[in-house]
Amino acid sequence: MGLFDDFSRFLETKLEEFLRSNPHLELQAIEEQLKEQEEDTLRLILEIQKQEKTLQAEILSAAQEIQRWNDRAKKAKAAQRLDLAQAAQERQAALLRQGNQRWGQMQGCKERIERAKELYRQIQSRRKEVRSKAAEAAAAAQTTTKTEQNWDTKGWNQSYNYNSFNAADPLEDKFQHWEAQEELDRMKRNMGR
């Protein structure tokens, strides 16, 4: 694991150096993180809204059950069945407690949704600021060192899927061909001596 940790630290250091020397890319990376946070917040809002709908359905169901047991309690009292009336009222009270708990949970969901929506708005605002700063930094980087920025940061916006078993990597093929050609040229020079 030590080798993996060392390699991981090396990569982090190189990435930090690269981003410091290319601030527009650092801002772009921050914007990507904010985009992910924005998407996570939206998923959270949808999940809480789903919980709220479930709780609303449970509250409605509890209300219907409370009404049913209330009617039964009245019917039992009218029939002078006080034992059944008492049991029906106890059931009604238990359902009422359960409904109140669900109501409290639903109110908690509503509060969480509002907090998540506020967080979402803050993330959107921050992302807009970062996007604007990134555009300014990219424009500044283009005007100062267009050729350096072109080759140094070109790969940043391209995805690459590293697969050691992938034999059809055109860049790898080009380098192998170039390295083999250089080795061949070196051997020819050495033989010509």
Side-chain angles (χ1 to χ4, degrees):
M1 282 303 193
L3 178 63
F4 180 74
D5 291 338
D6 290 344
F7 184 67
S8 179
R9 277 193 296 276
F10 170 77
L11 287 178
E12 286 175 16
T13 303
K14 288 297 178 189
L15 179 61
E16 288 171 8
E17 289 172 5
F18 178 75
L19 291 176
R20 272 195 301 275
S21 64
N22 298 285
H24 63 288
L25 294 179
E26 183 174 18
L27 290 169
Q28 188 177 347
I30 291 170
E31 187 201 349
E32 288 173 15
Q33 289 174 341
L34 288 169
K35 180 182 178 193
E36 289 175 17
Q37 289 178 358
E38 196 175 291
E39 291 169 356
D40 290 344
T41 305
L42 273 179
R43 277 192 290 276
L44 176 65
I45 290 169
L46 293 174
E47 181 181 315
I48 298 170
Q49 285 175 335
K50 185 177 174 184
Q51 290 173 0
E52 181 186 22
K53 294 246 184 282
T54 300
L55 288 168
Q56 286 174 347
E58 289 176 8
I59 290 168
L60 181 60
S61 175
Q64 290 169 345
E65 281 294 300
I66 290 168
Q67 183 62 47
R68 188 166 73 99
W69 285 101
N70 184 45
D71 293 343
R72 284 181 167 178
K74 287 179 184 177
K75 186 176 175 183
K77 276 185 190 177
Q80 296 297 320
R81 290 290 314 262
L82 297 179
D83 60 325
L84 289 177
Q86 175 74 24
Q89 287 174 335
E90 288 172 6
R91 176 67 58 90
Q92 183 181 358
L95 288 167
L96 192 56
R97 277 192 305 277
Q98 185 181 18
N100 284 337
Q101 287 175 341
R102 296 296 184 262
W103 184 266
Q105 291 171 343
M106 186 182 71
Q107 292 304 109
C109 282
K110 288 180 187 239
E111 291 171 12
R112 288 175 56 207
I113 289 169
E114 286 308 310
R115 286 195 306 263
K117 285 181 177 179
E118 178 58 30
L119 177 63
Y120 181 76
R121 285 188 289 272
Q122 290 172 357
I123 292 170
Q124 277 186 319
S125 173
R126 179 76 175 121
R127 187 173 170 208
K128 188 187 284 186
E129 290 173 24
V130 169
R131 190 179 305 136
S132 172
K133 288 180 183 177
E136 290 171 13
Q142 275 186 336
T143 58
T144 56
T145 55
K146 185 160 181 90
T147 56
E148 275 184 36
Q149 190 268 336
N150 190 23
W151 71 266
D152 194 26
T153 62
K154 185 176 181 181
W156 179 263
N157 292 319
Q158 297 173 348
S159 63
Y160 177 72
N161 185 10
Y162 175 75
N163 183 354
S164 60
F165 302 110
N166 186 0
D169 183 354
L171 183 59
E172 179 68 26
D173 291 344
K174 286 179 184 177
F175 265 92
Q176 285 180 356
H177 178 72
W178 175 61
E179 290 165 344
Q181 189 63 44
E182 281 199 332
E183 181 65 21
L184 188 62
D185 291 345
R186 186 187 62 75
M187 289 173 67
K188 285 179 183 177
R189 281 193 306 272
N190 285 342
M191 288 178 66
R193 288 185 183 173

